[in-house]
């Protein structure tokens, strides 16, 4: 299976999130989102790993790699909001800005909208498979429907050579029987116009290339931050999550949290919490 | 020029047959030398005569364009004679994107991405390459594009107009409700 | 399969509509799952219904083959229409496609579509009908076609080869970059 297909079977982070919530028979809410956060992050880690494996094998498929990167970035974006929600439930005194509160609501809202519209996707899938396709005729297929009258070129150059590519059919120009190629250049056909048109198209290439680079950078910087904090944590013995979250911007808290969860998953640290909503103590695991 | 109603209907049939591809009302009017209002009337007349059981064709209409297509019930008779580029399966991501465009198009990339929660630039590109959707400049925001399904897409689904999408009104209502809530 | 007479007539109409070339009675019989004798009967029936004044098509029979054609009374309307349509100015999309072929031809439809990001089948057909491009079998891939400008196209521009196009080298370079980086 190609990398592209690998990635494409995941229709997106909202689909996955909804699936996790519905698996537990929960309603969409901040509480249920906090509950499925770990599952979602675990899934993201798996996705990332598969992606890396596949990328190594088909590195020449740059487009496919980028598609994977994009999907990953989308998952990471949703993951960061989930972590925000989770952080809020674990660190109640964490002061969220209005913007962050809005982000949490936005995720809830989107998920509900997605749930409402999901049946539409099932309908399209069914119609697509039902094989009810209608057929049409190609553009100007029946120009060749009548007596084979050949027409002279209405505005072509003088003495255009005879070619096999003639247009038979109802006479485009009276009963002229001369065999000649049809040539309809249009008034705006000039080399300069073609160059301009290509120039316009190619400037959109530049945008496309740039867009993919920006995306790549974003994912890379996210990963780098996680790595950096992982290193710091490894060197510390015992530390509270609250302490390492102090004086940090909410984005940094998220990244920290992501790193901690990552370490816990890899079983490099132990997470302890004395009671619900109390501080989380992180202990490096002895080898 | 075609003179009376029956003659014009016959001319319309011949014209759509020759053109093959979706044709705008305006262009039909120019070819038959009638006003756009009359074109619409002629199309209504033609559509109703095509409902007869002994007719194998129907009209596919979207916006101000119309195309002659075979009735979807004859799919099995015709499928062997027509080479088909589109029959491959769609991935979940493609289906999701197509559903949003089919029910809510014309729609901007931003709104599609918002509903799907993912960046859609690659998927939109691949759907355009397959000829299932097309984009055009948003008349209200000349900087951005809107996406809509193509006639190829409607043909594949066997519909004769966008409103034939099952539960079309209900899904649009769901979206409107959501969008007015915020 | 079509069951009663009306249904079979409708199926026959759909079949002849889709099939561009003359179709043998035998082949029609196979598609509709009826005997050749019945095909002839159905064709007689269809021909008589096409005599109605509001029909624009008629049957053209040659031996044991038959096809749909437009009634000859519409010849001049249709010829004018086709001529006007082909003489129109090139649309931006046509110019873009033609530019790619002029600069980078001979080139496959796949590569053209990849560069433009949209399906180009109709535009390619229209450019061929206008005599601006031609296609030929790719010597390396006998299954597919390559497109190049026609002799008349170069003559019209007063040039002879892609390298004569403005800024040819620069565009080639951008293309190489695009094709390796995306």
């Amino acid at each position: 299976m190609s990398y592209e297909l690998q990635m494409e079977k995941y229709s997106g982070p909202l689909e996955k999130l909804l699936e996790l919530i519905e698996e537990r028979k929960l309603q969409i809410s901040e509480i249920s989102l906090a509950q499925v956060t770990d599952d979602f992050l675990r899934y993201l880690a798996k996705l990332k790993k598969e992606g890396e494996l596949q990328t190594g094998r088909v590195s020449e498929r740059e487009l496919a790699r980028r598609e994977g990167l994009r999907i990953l970035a989308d998952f990471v974006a949703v993951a960061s909001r989930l972590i925000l929600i989770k952080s809020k439930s674990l660190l109640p005194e964490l002061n969220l800005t209005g913007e962050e509160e809005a982000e949490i609501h936005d995720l809830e809202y989107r998920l509900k909208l997605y749930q409402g519209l999901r049946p539409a996707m099932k309908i399209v899938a069914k119609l697509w498979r039902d094989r009810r396709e209608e057929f049409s005729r190609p553009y100007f297929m029946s120009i060749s429907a009548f007596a084979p009258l050949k027409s002279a070129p209405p505005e072509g150059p003088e003495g255009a050579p005879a070619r096999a590519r003639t247009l038979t059919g109802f006479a485009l120009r009276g009963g002229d029987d001369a065999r000649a190629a049809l040539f309809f250049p249009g008034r705006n056909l000039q080399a300069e116009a073609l160059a301009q048109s290509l120039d316009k198209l190619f400037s959109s290439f530049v945008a496309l290339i740039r867009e993919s680079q920006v995306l790549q950078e974003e994912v890379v910087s996210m990963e780098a931050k996680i790595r950096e904090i992982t290193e710091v944590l490894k060197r510390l013995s015992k530390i509270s999550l609250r302490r390492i979250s102090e004086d940090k911007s909410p984005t940094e808290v998220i990244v920290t949290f992501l790193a901690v969860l990552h370490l816990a998953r890899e079983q490099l640290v132990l997470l302890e919490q004395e009671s619900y909503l109390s501080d989380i103590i992180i202990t490096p695991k002895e080898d | 020029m075609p003179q009376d109603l029956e003659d014009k209907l016959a001319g319309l049939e011949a014209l759509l047959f020759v053109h093959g591809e979706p044709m705008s009302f305006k262009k039909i009017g120019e070819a038959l030398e009638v006003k756009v209002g009359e074109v619409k009337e002629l199309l209504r007349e033609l559509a109703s005569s095509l409902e007869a059981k002994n007719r194998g064709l129907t009209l596919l209409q979207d916006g101000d364009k119309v195309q002659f297509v075979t009735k979807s019930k004859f799919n099995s008779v015709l499928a062997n004679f027509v080479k088909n580029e589109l029959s491959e399966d769609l991935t979940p991501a493609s289906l999701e994107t197509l559903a949003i465009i089919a029910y809510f198009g014309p729609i901007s990339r931003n709104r599609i991405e918002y509903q799907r929660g993912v960046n859609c630039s690659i998927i939109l590109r691949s759907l355009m390459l397959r000829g299932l959707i097309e984009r055009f400049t948003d008349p209200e925001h000349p900087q951005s594009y809107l996406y809509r399904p193509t006639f190829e897409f409607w043909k594949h689904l066997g519909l004769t107009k966008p409103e034939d999408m099952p539960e079309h009104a209900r899904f649009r209502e769901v979206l409107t409700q959501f969008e007015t809530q915020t």
Side-chain angles (χ1 to χ4, degrees), chain A, chain B:
Chain A
M1 197 192 286
S2 77
Y3 177 55
E4 203 162 3
L5 289 177
Q6 269 284 351
M7 296 307 278
E8 275 200 358
K9 72 175 185 242
Y10 312 103
S11 62
L14 292 182
E15 171 78 44
K16 187 67 202 172
L17 200 48
L18 202 53
E19 192 187 306
L20 292 173
I21 290 173
E22 286 172 349
E23 263 171 23
R24 299 188 180 206
K25 301 196 166 48
L26 299 171
Q27 300 289 316
I28 298 168
S29 68
E30 241 181 88
I31 299 163
S32 65
L33 285 172
Q35 281 173 334
V36 300
T37 298
D38 289 355
D39 289 344
F40 188 85
L41 292 176
R42 207 169 295 131
Y43 181 79
L44 172 59
K46 194 176 130 231
L47 196 64
K48 200 163 154 278
K49 216 163 155 194
E50 279 179 23
E52 278 162 8
L53 273 177
Q54 295 291 333
T55 316
R57 222 181 298 153
V58 283
S59 54
E60 74 278 10
R61 298 289 312 276
E62 182 62 25
L63 189 70
R65 204 181 69 78
R66 261 178 38 203
E67 170 77 358
L69 210 59
R70 265 163 216 264
I71 294 180
L72 211 58
D74 295 327
F75 270 87
V76 168
V78 170
S80 77
R81 289 188 184 188
L82 282 176
I83 290 166
L84 200 63
I85 292 172
K86 183 95 180 179
S87 310
K88 195 179 154 198
S89 78
L90 293 176
L91 309 166
E93 65 275 47
L94 185 72
N95 264 331
L96 295 188
T97 64
E99 195 184 324
E100 286 158 352
E101 288 286 358
E103 274 188 20
I104 291 178
H105 285 302
D106 182 61
L107 182 62
E108 253 186 88
Y109 165 82
R110 279 184 180 200
L111 211 50
K112 285 179 183 159
L113 175 63
Y114 188 85
Q115 195 177 35
L117 298 180
R118 201 168 38 170
M121 294 155 198
K122 300 236 163 76
I123 290 173
V124 173
K126 183 172 181 305
L127 284 174
W128 183 267
R129 285 192 312 260
D130 269 356
R131 304 209 50 86
R132 291 161 36 82
E133 185 170 5
E134 302 153 345
F135 298 100
S136 61
R137 289 169 68 84
Y139 182 60
F140 283 166
M141 185 196 223
S142 21
I143 292 183
S144 57
F146 276 102
L149 295 164
K150 311 287 182 293
S151 94
E155 46 190 293
E158 300 270 318
R163 286 178 162 265
R165 179 181 40 78
T166 51
L167 203 56
T168 63
F170 29 72
L172 291 180
R173 215 196 202 193
D176 190 350
D177 202 27
R179 271 191 169 271
L182 286 175
F183 188 63
F184 299 89
R187 282 168 310 170
N188 58 341
L189 176 58
Q190 287 132 18
E192 236 359 273
L194 292 171
Q196 270 168 24
S197 168
L198 204 59
D199 195 48
K200 208 170 147 213
L201 175 68
F202 279 20
S203 58
S204 71
F205 288 179
V206 176
L208 207 66
I209 294 170
R210 197 179 305 129
E211 195 184 346
S212 90
Q213 281 167 347
V214 166
L215 203 93
Q216 198 155 345
E217 280 160 19
E218 274 172 17
V219 173
V220 167
S221 80
M222 187 81 168
E223 288 179 340
K225 268 186 211 157
I226 293 174
R227 248 198 324 276
E228 187 182 306
I229 291 165
T230 307
E231 289 306 311
V232 173
L233 286 173
K234 273 186 192 160
R235 275 185 272 115
L236 298 169
S237 55
K238 212 174 193 180
I239 191 165
S240 90
L241 183 61
R242 193 168 301 168
R243 222 194 94 203
I244 55 171
S245 309
E246 267 168 12
D247 310 323
K248 293 239 164 73
S249 74
T251 314
E252 283 172 300
V253 173
I254 288 164
V255 174
T256 308
F257 207 87
L258 196 61
V260 170
L261 286 171
H262 173 77
L263 287 173
R265 261 199 316 276
E266 303 283 312
Q267 304 201 317
L268 296 169
V269 297
L270 286 176
L271 297 185
E272 291 169 282
Q273 190 176 23
E274 281 173 5
S275 63
Y276 181 59
L277 297 185
S278 74
D279 193 10
I280 295 175
I281 308 298
I282 306 153
T283 323
K285 223 174 157 188
E286 305 295 329
D287 285 321
Chain B
M1 283 308 109
Q3 289 312 314
D4 60 15
L5 177 67
E6 294 201 307
D7 221 26
K8 284 176 188 165
L9 282 171
L12 176 61
E13 183 180 60
L15 185 66
L16 291 176
F17 175 83
V18 165
H19 191 262
E21 287 299 318
M23 200 170 171
S24 72
F25 299 166
K26 186 165 161 276
K27 221 167 209 174
I28 295 172
E30 283 163 13
L32 298 179
E33 296 187 6
V34 299
K35 296 223 169 72
V36 167
E38 195 175 348
V39 170
K40 289 184 189 165
E41 226 162 283
L42 289 171
L43 285 170
R44 265 196 297 277
E45 197 69 43
L46 178 58
S48 95
S49 75
L50 289 170
E51 281 170 17
K53 228 188 138 218
N54 66 350
R55 299 300 308 267
L57 306 179
T58 186
L59 291 180
L60 171 56
Q61 292 194 52
D62 184 7
D64 68 339
K65 285 188 172 171
V66 62
Q67 179 179 31
F68 246 151
V69 294
T70 58
K71 285 182 180 168
S72 63
K73 67 192 256 199
F74 296 110
N75 179 281
S76 60
V77 179
L78 305 174
N80 294 331
F81 290 91
V82 186
K83 70 168 181 212
N84 196 335
E85 296 180 12
L86 288 175
S87 52
E88 322 146 47
D89 252 1
L90 291 171
T91 61
S94 304
L95 272 176
E96 225 178 81
T97 312
L98 278 173
I100 290 169
I101 297 174
Y103 278 101
F104 311 116
I107 183 169
S108 69
R109 177 175 148 189
N110 264 351
R111 280 183 67 209
I112 299 169
E113 292 185 338
Y114 186 78
Q115 283 180 39
R116 291 197 60 224
V118 289
N119 181 302
C120 296
S121 62
I122 301 233
I123 201 92
L124 289 172
R125 198 175 140 84
S126 106
L127 291 173
M128 282 199 291
L129 273 174
R130 288 179 72 175
L132 294 173
I133 60 167
E134 62 192 1
R135 71 173 189 193
F136 59 100
T137 305
D138 184 349
E140 283 167 32
H141 307 93
Q143 302 304 317
S144 62
Y145 293 111
L146 294 177
Y147 294 83
R148 68 178 161 218
T150 59
F151 275 64
E152 283 307 311
F153 176 75
W154 301 127
K155 273 162 55 188
H156 196 99
L157 262 46
L159 306 180
T160 59
K161 56 181 185 302
E163 294 74 25
D164 284 352
M165 287 294 292
E167 304 188 66
H168 184 261
R170 188 174 76 77
F171 284 119
R172 289 193 82 99
E173 176 75 9
V174 170
L175 185 67
T176 313
Q177 261 177 19
F178 263 93
E179 289 188 336
T180 48
Q181 265 174 30
T182 50

